[in-house]
Amino acid sequence: MNLDYMPLRGRAHTGLRTELDRQGVLHRHEREMLLEAADALLFDEPESGLRQAEALELLDHLEASERRSPAEAARLRAALRSCAAPPRTAVA
């Protein structure tokens, strides 16, 4: 696990939780899906890519059904994506 960005990623995880609390009620399984995806990304779990894709699909659905505004969904997407390790760059 790459620990270089862990403090930033941890703050993003906390930010996601804070934003979820601020935005209000979701169905329990929806909230759990978002938090499980954030956990998987934060801890570089093997299924993190799949969990992220599912969570982003959920956010698209919440926005399309007008259960979240575009701005609210964007804040959640950004926080979720920030839980992931940055892409590895090739060393020249």
Side-chain angles (χ1 to χ4, degrees), residues 11-60:
R11 283 194 293 277
H13 191 282
T14 300
L16 176 71
R17 287 180 170 277
T18 300
E19 186 63 24
L20 284 170
D21 290 343
R22 191 191 69 70
Q23 288 186 19
V25 179
L26 285 174
H27 296 293
R28 184 178 350 166
H29 71 277
E30 293 169 336
R31 183 179 174 89
E32 287 174 0
M33 180 187 288
L34 293 170
L35 293 175
E36 287 172 3
D39 289 347
L41 291 166
L42 183 64
F43 296 109
D44 295 322
E45 294 175 4
E47 71 280 0
S48 62
L50 175 62
R51 299 264 177 136
Q52 180 181 20
E54 292 170 344
L56 293 172
E57 186 176 320
L58 170 62
L59 292 172
D60 290 344

Side-chain angles (χ1 to χ4, degrees), residues 19 22-23 63 68-78:
E19 186 63 24
R22 191 191 69 70
Q23 288 186 19
E63 185 178 345
R68 290 294 180 265
S69 71
E72 289 171 328
R75 286 192 299 271
L76 291 170
R77 281 186 198 96

Side-chain angles (χ1 to χ4, degrees), residues 2 5 15 17 33 40 65 76 82 86 91:
N2 182 347
Y5 294 93
R17 287 180 170 277
M33 180 187 288
S65 64
L76 291 170
S82 295
V91 177

